[in-house]
Amino acid sequence: MLLIELVILLLLFAVALGWIARHFKFPYPIALVVGGLLLGFIPKLPQFPFDPQLILIVVLPPILYQTALLTSWSDFKANIRPISLLAIGLVIATTLTIGAVFKLLVPGVPWAAAFVLGAIVSPPDAVAATAILSRLNIPRRIVTVLEGESLVNDASGLVIYKFAIAATLTGAFSLFEASVQFSIVSLGGIALGIVFAFLFIAIHKRLGDPFIEVLTALIIPYAAYIVAESVHVSGVLAVVAAGLVRGRYSPEIVSAEMRIIGRSVWKLFVFLLNSLIFILIGIQMSDVVEKLSIYAMAELFYWGVAISAVAIIVRFAWVYPFTWLPRWLSGSLREDEPTLGKPELSIVGWCGMRGIVSLAAALALPVTLPNGAPFPYRDLIIFLSFFVIAATLIGQGLTLPYLIRKLKVGSDWNIQREQQRVRAGMSAAALSAIDKIMVSEGAPMEWADQLRAEIDDRISVAAPEGLEQMPRNEFVTRLRHAAILAERKELIRLWRENEIGDEVMHHLEEILDYQEAHLK
């Protein structure tokens, strides 16, 4: 009973943190990491007994799958070179550099365990960064590269993490064998993910029920991950490949109702998983800090600052030369690919916040080796991982808006122009379809005047997501909100006075919910 009460209390704590983040308009991972940090200072917190390996299985598949599902394949393919350099090259460089620095700071740590820490903190998480960038009208290519990097670097970082764990457990490592095995598990995972995607696409077309479709969508990442791991290929890459392929065909197979339901379910599910991980790391930190009492607090703080600084510096040291060097070597690249200036590259370099994937990997560290001995420096690795996550999320996340304004980055309106162009085309297609039906049915044209006005108004009022609205459009949107609120109040009044039944009440409430969600 005590455990249940504690879980409920912690979930309420997570809800409060989410509300604070929304109220003060900063990404909720920052609020969660602060909450986890506060939990870590509470002595003798009850510990949740859990299998570390379950953390990866429960948390990673849906988070990676959702990210892949929402990734634009055309944008991803168009920016594959910078995404690959950041998501693969930078991850390897960060893993090696942080591993070497950790070994230098703590000479007793085995090399394999040192690289485990490097692999854990090597992949940045774009959730906090893109949440900030989307509100500040940043050039589209920056956001695309960061989102693509976040998708692929999670996969590459976790594959390296598993190799480092295996080397620590076995005490043996061969670069040649690891390279061959890396290629096999990577290609095998991608192939299996593609097969799973097309299998579920075929199944999806025959379901016809939005609730079953959403449930099926939640099953796909877990099924792909578990099957891939059971045949000893990369479950992470299988999930990413399945998400990318299914996202590519999503407009053809997903109904509007399923899309509305699915979007809400995914957002809630991912928020719950984020809350769970940050709460678990906070509870773990209370126990970890006690076990690290053999070290001076100043020494732990120094190591945390040093590792965090290295993670930030390595990213800047990589971003500038590996952006400009290919352009210097290739004339065709200079002509075909738009240039990012120093301010834009500074933003990309500063968007190195670590997040939930690093937390999940830290929590998933084995407790013991096969011979029963403790996993070397496990508590210190968890502590330093959380320190880097907290330092980058809070330090870089909260200062990113100031840096953007200082560098005067954010004048690209390509997204707005593209959405306006597409919406104009959609509007023209809708009006053409209306006219054809009116002519074929022989109905008076004025019957469709109201519908035509609604389409024109919707296209003119709706502003692209994440961009500022014009004053008139913003005012009209507030009027629509006020009208929906008044309709809702009247509906509730009629229902309470028994003038309408429950069925009518729920049906009209769903219509109002849809209209209000569309405005948001």
Side-chain angles (χ1 to χ4, degrees), residues 2-13:
L2 177 62
L3 185 61
I4 295 175
E5 291 175 354
L6 183 60
V7 169
I8 293 173
L9 180 63
L10 291 174
L11 286 176
L12 290 174
F13 181 58

Side-chain angles (χ1 to χ4, degrees), residues 28 58 124 165 265 283 300 314 352 369-370 416 469 479-480:
Y28 72 83
V58 172
I165 291 286
V265 170
I283 293 173
L300 291 173
V314 168
L369 299 177
Q416 185 184 40
Q469 296 178 315
L479 287 180
R480 288 177 177 268

Side-chain angles (χ1 to χ4, degrees), residues 26 125 134 180-181 244 271 291 303 313 316 373 422 443:
F26 59 84
D125 185 355
S134 64
V180 173
Q181 193 176 0
L244 281 172
F271 177 75
K291 292 179 179 177
W303 290 342
I313 292 170
F316 274 99
V422 172

